Amino acid sequence: QNNDLDTTDRLHAICKLLQESIDYYDWVGFYFKNGDKEELKLRTYVGEETDHKIIPFGKGICGQVALSNENFVVPDVQAQDNYIACSINVKSEIVVPLFKNGENIGQIDIDSETPDPFTEKDERFLEFINQEVAKIL
Ligand code: SME
């Protein structure tokens, strides 16, 4: 796809805007299904560098959302047993699946250094963001 770079640039700009606008959004990234593989691949992000650029379906919060098709709000990451730690500073996380033509093709993942900051407002807001993002994919 020859507009691939453009789309990634746009996604990066969205990550940056979200991270700069909402004080408890510390790490913001988009993962997408990696071709035909049963895994997620990190497309773009802002925040601390992470080693977790590929996540198998089922693994961690992200991997679970790839299979459940449902939002996953984690008020306290330390209380999760199927969790992949990216940074010791992270206290909480929200992952919202991204649907294109009804199919779960990826997700927005947000880590926070604030304990338990995410509400239903964040869920509705990020669902809206993902709907808008789906239009440019
Ligand atoms: N914590 C995630 C891994 C991705 S990082 O947050 C960037 C998880 O458990 O799936």
Side-chain angles (χ1 to χ4, degrees), residues 27 31 50 52 55 59-63 82-86 93 109 111:
W27 189 100
Y31 284 92
T50 177
H52 304 289
I55 298 177
K59 245 201 114 203
I61 308 304
C62 296
N82 189 0
Y83 169 72
I84 303 164
C86 284
E93 177 164 4
D109 177 18
D111 287 343

Side-chain angles (χ1 to χ4, degrees), residues 109-124:
D109 177 18
I110 298 178
D111 287 343
S112 180
E113 296 177 9
T114 302
D116 196 11
F118 301 113
T119 69
E120 286 186 18
K121 272 195 181 175
D122 296 281
E123 291 189 68
R124 299 296 88 77

Side-chain angles (χ1 to χ4, degrees), residues 21-137:
S21 306
I22 298 157
D23 59 1
Y24 55 91
Y25 288 9
D26 293 301
W27 189 100
V28 181
F30 284 100
Y31 284 92
F32 288 96
K33 189 176 193 305
N34 192 13
D36 289 336
K37 296 183 192 149
E38 297 286 294
E39 65 185 28
L40 295 162
K41 187 179 180 191
L42 184 58
R43 177 94 168 252
T44 186
Y45 68 98
V46 295
E48 270 183 62
E49 168 74 29
T50 177
D51 288 335
H52 304 289
K53 305 229 159 57
I54 299 280
I55 298 177
F57 282 12
K59 245 201 114 203
I61 308 304
C62 296
Q64 291 177 77
V65 169
L67 297 175
S68 74
N69 308 324
E70 281 171 16
N71 298 347
F72 200 150
V73 177
V74 182
D76 173 9
V77 293
Q78 295 216 34
Q80 290 291 320
D81 43 73
N82 189 0
Y83 169 72
I84 303 164
C86 284
S87 155
I88 51 158
N89 301 321
V90 174
K91 300 281 194 299
S92 54
E93 177 164 4
I94 184 170
V95 178
V96 173
L98 195 157
F99 299 96
K100 175 92 181 171
N101 302 324
E103 191 192 341
N104 180 357
I105 61 162
Q107 52 194 235
I108 189 166
D109 177 18
I110 298 178
D111 287 343
S112 180
E113 296 177 9
T114 302
D116 196 11
F118 301 113
T119 69
E120 286 186 18
K121 272 195 181 175
D122 296 281
E123 291 189 68
R124 299 296 88 77
F125 174 57
L126 296 169
E127 285 165 3
F128 170 75
I129 296 287
N130 279 354
Q131 282 164 23
E132 293 302 303
V133 165
K135 296 177 188 171
I136 64 159
L137 295 174

